[in-house]
């Protein structure tokens, strides 16, 4: 009898120290287990029964209590989500999101509960913390998050280090512009300030995982990954030194409240990574569009002709260029207020309108966050000046703004992003952010948001030999990483041989014309500012100009075709009935690919490509009845195939 009682007690204590639950994707392949083990909330992930994440920590530390240890299981609830929506400015226009859900509720020793809501669709996990009202407590500061990611030891990484706060040009960092490395072992990832989202992991034979976050509004800070510590990457809140050290790290939330979604996209191949729509599927529009916004392409003098072109005469040349290219827009960059002035800008906008071209204007987001000195400044940082300015902009007929040089990822900066977007919608203005953070679900949350930089963008091709050397390398990464989770306002398609106004010597472009055309499809953003210059109308083959005249900037479908990040990438995008298949090659030798293109089976297509001497060519090709075609991509070259 005594023996039996002991056994019974052991059984009870086993239940008490480990309570677990699991949820699987609708197709049964992606499985998430969650448990409280010795008081610590943990989770793990497998795909097709192969390990993607080993037991990894969960939990929050708030000013109202610690929810990372001494926790007990309360209950778990299963559910389902099935929703369909339309979204015209991301990689796909019509989306159906089906997920199985698990709400896992735990309690700390103060009897305060939190829940973690997991949503598991076929290739994506999204989860967030949900905090109820605790007694009379309705305000809470989340100071830290324990959420971590423990990958198996064979994993290699594709990461971009977080820029150090208050460094770089006019102390404007961090701005997500440090570039990614490829296939680095985890042990080498010791950047002091961690790594930006998104972050790609190759879990050897087991598959791939892309980590990011979405749904960050004014109600939270932006997060990133910590450096690799004790075998784990953790969710880290902004460095306290953002915004010149002013403002808190962490988040101030009302209760009941939620954190943003942590997302993990998983696949045996890279296909689910390229095609994921999870950043948009778990968020909702935060307000209605005040009107139908028109997306499209623009000319942009600053990128090649730089500050000296910020004058009336040169802007007329770029308006004429936009008109000659059937572009919808011109972007007029910094210093327009000083060099052209508000009155003549009105005339310039009228001139543009007479040519069928609409105008985007540049603004400094500052303020007080850093030393960015370009003007107009002090116009976007308070509601009072912003609304006054936007009233003028609307009356002058401006259609969009590019707002630059933000202070970091703290909650107060997320408020500024949201306030600019919300006010701009009231005045019919679209918004592009530069010198900025990663947009986290914003294409869907904010109807007038049309793209952010947050990448080693075209400006660095002008400024840095190292970036020119790596242009093709970086381009092959974007469809799998940065551009997979959000629009990317890169400012590319540079057809000058030398990336300056003279176009005779200096910053030599190392990639081919076909490569540049390919990036217009490979890089997705609903408004694309292209780097063409007026001389390109004369010195570039007519078929290249015709291609750019017709290339869309919005897509109904995006399909992974082939590639490996850092080596080469091939992506297909559809606009209405027309397919564009684009590829680039960052390797040192020409690459002949036998591509499977079921969408073009048995048909004819037009190929834009490079010949052996890297001269551009356009030719007709036939796609076999098996839907196959063989294409050679030159090193630093590219192609586009279109039906
Ligand atoms: Ca920049």
């Amino acid at each position: 009898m005594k023996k039996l009682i002991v056994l019974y007690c052991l059984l009870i204590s086993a239940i008490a120290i480990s309570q677990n639950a699991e949820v699987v994707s609708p197709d049964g392949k992606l499985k998430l287990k969650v448990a409280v083990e010795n008081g610590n909330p943990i989770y793990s992930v497998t795909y097709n029964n192969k390990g993607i994440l080993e037991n990894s920590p969960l939990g929050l530390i708030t000013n109202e209590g610690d929810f990372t240890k001494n926790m007990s299981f309360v209950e778990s609830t299963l559910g389902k989500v099935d929703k369909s929506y339309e979204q015209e400015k991301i990689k796909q226009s019509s989306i159906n999101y089906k997920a199985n859900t698990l709400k896992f509720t735990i309690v700390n020793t103060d009897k305060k509960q939190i829940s973690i809501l997991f949503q598991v669709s076929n290739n994506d996990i999204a989860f967030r913390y949900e905090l109820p009202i605790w007694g009379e407590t309705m305000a809470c500061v989340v100071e830290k998050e324990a959420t971590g990611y423990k990958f198996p030891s064979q994993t290699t990484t594709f990461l971009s280090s977080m820029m150090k706060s208050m460094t770089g040009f006019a102390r404007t960092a961090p701005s997500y512009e440090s570039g990614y490395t490829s296939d680095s072992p985890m042990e080498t990832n010791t950047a002091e300030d961690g790594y930006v989202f998104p972050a790609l992991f190759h879990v050897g034979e087991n598959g791939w995982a892309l980590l990011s976050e979405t749904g960050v509004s004014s109600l939270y800070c932006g997060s990133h990954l910590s450096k690799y510590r004790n075998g784990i990457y953790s969710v880290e809140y902004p460095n306290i030194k953002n915004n010149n050290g002013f403002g808190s790290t962490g988040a101030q939330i009302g209760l009941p409240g939620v954190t943003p979604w942590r997302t993990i996209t998983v696949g045996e191949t890279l296909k689910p990574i390229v095609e994921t729509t999870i950043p948009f599927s778990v968020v909702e529009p935060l307000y209605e569009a005040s009107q139908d916004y028109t997306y499209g392409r623009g000319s942009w003098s600053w990128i090649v002709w730089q500050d000296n072109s910020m004058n009336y005469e040169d802007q007329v040349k770029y308006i004429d260029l936009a008109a000659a290219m059937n572009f919808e827009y011109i972007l007029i960059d910094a210093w327009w207020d000083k060099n052209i002035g508000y009155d003549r800008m009105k005339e310039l906008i009228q001139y543009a309108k007479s040519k069928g071209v609409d105008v985007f204007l540049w603004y400094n987001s500052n303020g007080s966050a850093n030393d960015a000195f370009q003007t107009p400044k002090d116009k976007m940082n308070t509601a009072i000046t912003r609304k006054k300015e936007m009233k003028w902009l609307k009356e002058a007929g401006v259609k969009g703004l590019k707002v630059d040089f933000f202070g970091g990822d703290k909650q107060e900066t997320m408020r500024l992003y949201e306030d600019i977007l919300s006010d701009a919608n009231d005045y019919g203005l679209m918004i592009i952010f530069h010198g900025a953070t990663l947009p986290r679900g914003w294409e869907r949350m904010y109807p007038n948001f049309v793209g952010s930089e947050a990448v080693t963008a075209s400006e660095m091709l002008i400024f840095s030999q190292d970036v020119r050397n790596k242009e093709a390398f970086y381009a092959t990464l974007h469809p799998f990483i940065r551009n997979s989770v959000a629009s990317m306002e890169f400012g590319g398609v540079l057809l000058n041989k030398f990336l300056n106004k003279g176009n005779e010597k200096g910053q030599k472009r190392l990639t081919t014309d076909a490569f540049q055309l390919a990036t217009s499809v490979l890089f997705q953003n609903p408004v694309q500012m292209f780097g063409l210059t007026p001389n390109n109308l004369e010195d570039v083959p007519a078929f290249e100009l015709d291609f750019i005249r017709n290339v869309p900037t919005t897509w109904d479908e995006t399909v992974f075709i082939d590639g490996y990040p850092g080596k080469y990438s091939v992506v297909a995008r559809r606009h209405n009935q027309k397919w564009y298949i684009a590829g680039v090659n960052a390797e040192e030798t020409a690459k002949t690919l036998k591509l499977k293109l079921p969408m073009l089976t048995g048909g004819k297509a037009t190929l834009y490509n490079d010949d052996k001497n890297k001269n551009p060519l356009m030719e007709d090709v036939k796609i076999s009845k098996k839907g196959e075609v063989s294409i050679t991509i030159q090193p630093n070259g590219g192609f586009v195939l279109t039906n």
Side-chain angles (χ1 to χ4, degrees):
M1 186 66 195
K2 207 176 168 193
K3 232 181 184 174
L4 256 178
I5 290 170
V6 171
L7 256 179
Y8 181 73
C9 289
L10 272 176
L11 202 64
I12 292 288
S13 67
I15 290 168
I17 61 167
S18 177
Q19 286 282 0
N20 52 61
E22 91 175 31
V23 54
V24 296
S25 57
D27 69 2
K29 291 183 179 170
L30 182 58
K31 186 183 291 181
L32 180 139
K33 288 185 181 173
V34 57
V36 180
E37 220 173 72
N38 303 318
N40 302 313
I42 53 166
Y43 73 114
S44 61
V45 175
T46 58
Y47 190 83
N48 260 344
N49 297 317
K50 287 181 276 188
I52 299 294
L53 285 179
E54 297 171 1
N55 281 343
S56 304
L58 293 166
L60 301 170
I61 296 177
T62 76
N63 66 340
E64 294 293 332
D66 186 335
F67 299 90
T68 65
K69 50 181 193 262
N70 302 319
M71 302 301 295
S72 306
F73 171 80
V74 176
E75 62 176 359
S76 65
T77 325
L78 294 171
K80 279 186 196 310
V81 182
D82 187 344
K83 80 173 193 184
S84 295
Y85 61 97
E86 305 287 316
Q87 196 64 59
E88 59 185 340
K89 56 184 170 169
I90 60 169
K91 65 181 84 167
Q92 192 178 328
S93 60
S94 191
I95 297 123
N96 176 237
Y97 172 64
K98 272 196 187 78
N100 292 327
T101 70
L102 166 67
K103 189 169 173 171
F104 191 77
T105 302
I106 50 181
V107 65
N108 71 7
T109 47
D110 289 340
K111 301 211 161 50
K112 285 180 178 148
Q113 292 189 1
I114 62 167
S115 299
I116 310 159
L117 176 62
F118 298 93
Q119 300 196 167
V120 181
S121 47
N122 283 349
N123 292 97
D124 297 282
I125 294 165
F127 65 98
R128 69 178 184 190
Y129 297 89
E130 301 192 340
L131 287 63
I133 298 171
W134 297 309
E136 291 177 354
T137 305
M138 297 189 71
C140 166
V141 174
V142 183
E143 293 163 348
K144 268 195 168 145
E145 193 166 321
T147 309
Y149 309 91
K150 185 173 199 279
F151 287 100
S153 58
Q154 73 270 25
T155 303
T156 58
T157 68
F158 300 72
L159 300 177
S160 169
S161 55
M162 176 58 81
M163 298 164 87
K164 267 203 162 335
S165 306
M166 306 304 290
T167 63
F169 174 76
R171 299 197 294 165
T172 54
S175 47
Y176 290 62
E177 290 172 279
S178 57
Y180 281 79
T181 58
S182 71
D183 259 333
S184 317
M186 292 190 288
E187 291 73 25
T188 62
N189 296 142
T190 52
E192 194 151 326
D193 286 21
Y195 298 90
V196 303
F197 284 129
L200 179 65
F201 297 85
H202 189 191
V203 194
E205 308 263 281
N206 294 10
W208 294 83
L210 183 70
L211 304 183
S212 196
E213 70 168 341
T214 188
V216 180
S217 70
S218 60
L219 300 177
Y220 221 84
C221 59
S223 305
H224 61 271
L225 282 185
S226 71
K227 68 177 172 188
Y228 187 65
R229 215 184 273 130
N230 305 323
I232 290 176
Y233 296 92
S234 305
V235 168
E236 205 165 65
Y237 291 164
N239 191 297
I240 191 69
K241 291 180 182 152
N242 280 200
N243 285 65
N244 209 8
F246 186 79
S248 292
T249 182
Q252 179 195 40
I253 62 172
L255 302 179
V258 297
T259 67
W261 295 95
R262 315 285 160 228
T263 63
I264 311 169
T265 301
V266 180
E268 276 174 338
T269 70
L270 289 154
K271 184 175 168 67
I273 308 271
V274 170
E275 298 175 12
T276 183
T277 48
I278 193 65
F280 317 105
S281 291
V282 292
V283 300
E284 293 294 334
L286 297 181
Y287 51 77
E288 262 180 51
S290 62
Q291 57 209 279
D292 286 337
Y293 292 106
T294 305
Y295 314 117
R297 301 134 311 157
S299 65
W300 178 33
S301 78
W302 182 83
I303 186 61
V304 177
W305 286 14
Q306 297 275 292
D307 283 353
N308 284 340
S309 67
M310 298 319 302
N311 61 71
Y312 197 98
E313 293 68 33
D314 281 348
Q315 294 312 311
V316 165
K317 288 178 191 160
Y318 271 79
I319 289 166
D320 293 345
L321 170 64
M325 292 303 295
N326 298 339
F327 288 175
E328 292 78 1
Y329 296 107
I330 179 174
L331 164 64
I332 303 178
D333 219 283
W335 303 120
W336 62 264
D337 59 324
K338 294 258 158 61
N339 298 352
I340 296 170
Y342 281 72
D343 288 341
R344 291 206 79 203
M345 180 52 77
K346 272 190 172 166
E347 283 172 40
L348 193 57
I349 292 163
Q350 284 315 311
Y351 176 74
K353 280 198 192 301
S354 77
K355 295 278 182 167
V357 176
D358 274 312
V359 175
F360 271 69
L361 290 182
W362 184 95
Y363 278 84
N364 189 332
S365 70
N366 274 298
S368 49
N370 53 49
D371 304 328
F373 48 84
Q374 284 91 335
T375 64
K377 72 190 285 279
D378 300 311
K379 302 284 190 190
M380 288 291 134
N381 55 322
T382 70
I384 294 165
T385 55
R386 187 167 57 237
K387 286 194 274 195
K388 191 174 161 203
E389 192 75 2
M390 287 179 174
K391 184 166 179 280
W392 180 85
L393 288 162
K394 186 180 182 178
E395 283 163 10
V398 173
K399 296 296 182 200
L401 308 182
K402 167 183 170 183
V403 190
D404 208 339
F405 299 134
F406 287 82
D409 289 352
K410 287 179 178 172
Q411 187 173 2
E412 64 173 61
T413 309
M414 296 299 145
R415 286 181 184 139
L416 179 60
Y417 284 115
E418 183 174 283
D419 291 349
I420 291 171
L421 286 161
S422 168
D423 283 348
N425 183 53
D426 291 347
Y427 293 93
L429 298 165
M430 289 177 279
I431 296 289
I432 291 169
F433 292 123
H434 266 235
T437 194
L438 177 78
R440 292 154 162 97
W442 295 359
E443 291 82 349
R444 181 152 175 77
M445 291 158 66
Y446 306 109
N448 55 328
F449 169 76
V450 292
S452 289
E453 183 183 34
V455 64
T456 310
S458 59
E459 62 184 22
M460 297 310 292
L461 293 168
I462 314 293
F463 298 144
S464 159
Q465 183 63 47
D466 180 58
V467 175
R468 285 194 290 282
N469 294 340
K470 290 179 182 159
E471 181 180 7
F473 169 76
Y474 285 140
T476 65
L477 298 174
H478 298 321
F480 304 106
I481 312 175
R482 166 64 182 82
N483 211 183
S484 167
V485 300
S487 300
M488 184 175 86
E489 214 285 287
F490 183 86
V493 186
L494 295 150
L495 291 176
N496 267 12
K497 304 265 182 246
F498 298 88
L499 305 181
N500 52 49
K501 187 172 180 185
N503 196 22
E504 280 176 350
K505 56 180 193 291
Q507 302 107 307
K508 191 175 188 332
R509 171 162 60 91
L510 302 176
T511 54
T512 67
D513 283 16
F515 174 100
Q516 293 294 325
L517 299 187
T519 62
S520 71
V521 174
L522 201 62
F523 300 168
Q524 177 266 322
N525 202 72
V527 176
Q528 301 247 37
M529 301 303 174
F530 289 148
L532 298 184
T533 54
N535 52 288
N536 294 151
L537 293 174
E538 313 300 328
D539 59 21
V540 160
F543 69 82
E544 293 185 20
L545 298 176
D546 283 338
F547 173 85
I548 300 166
R549 279 191 184 101
N550 292 302
V551 70
T553 63
T554 56
W555 305 103
D556 294 300
E557 206 177 332
T558 291
V559 180
F560 167 73
I561 302 294
D562 199 358
Y564 189 96
K567 295 180 176 174
Y568 69 107
S569 62
V570 184
V571 167
R573 299 194 200 271
R574 178 174 63 82
H575 178 90
N576 294 331
Q577 296 314 307
K578 200 171 166 79
W579 282 96
Y580 288 78
I581 294 99
V584 294
N585 177 13
E587 295 199 288
E588 279 167 16
T589 53
K591 198 175 226 3
T592 299
L593 302 171
K594 195 165 204 184
L595 300 175
K596 285 203 173 63
L597 303 173
M599 63 285 279
L600 300 182
T601 296
K604 263 208 308 207
T606 306
L607 174 68
Y608 301 83
N609 199 355
D610 306 297
D611 69 16
K612 266 188 276 189
N613 303 316
K614 298 198 175 187
N615 292 314
L617 63 85
M618 180 181 74
E619 62 186 17
D620 287 342
V621 294
K622 270 202 65 83
I623 316 298
S624 77
K625 293 221 164 68
K626 284 167 146 177
E628 287 178 346
V629 67
S630 175
I631 287 177
T632 299
I633 325 182
Q634 298 300 321
N636 280 331
F639 78 92
V640 183
L641 193 61
T642 176
N643 61 343

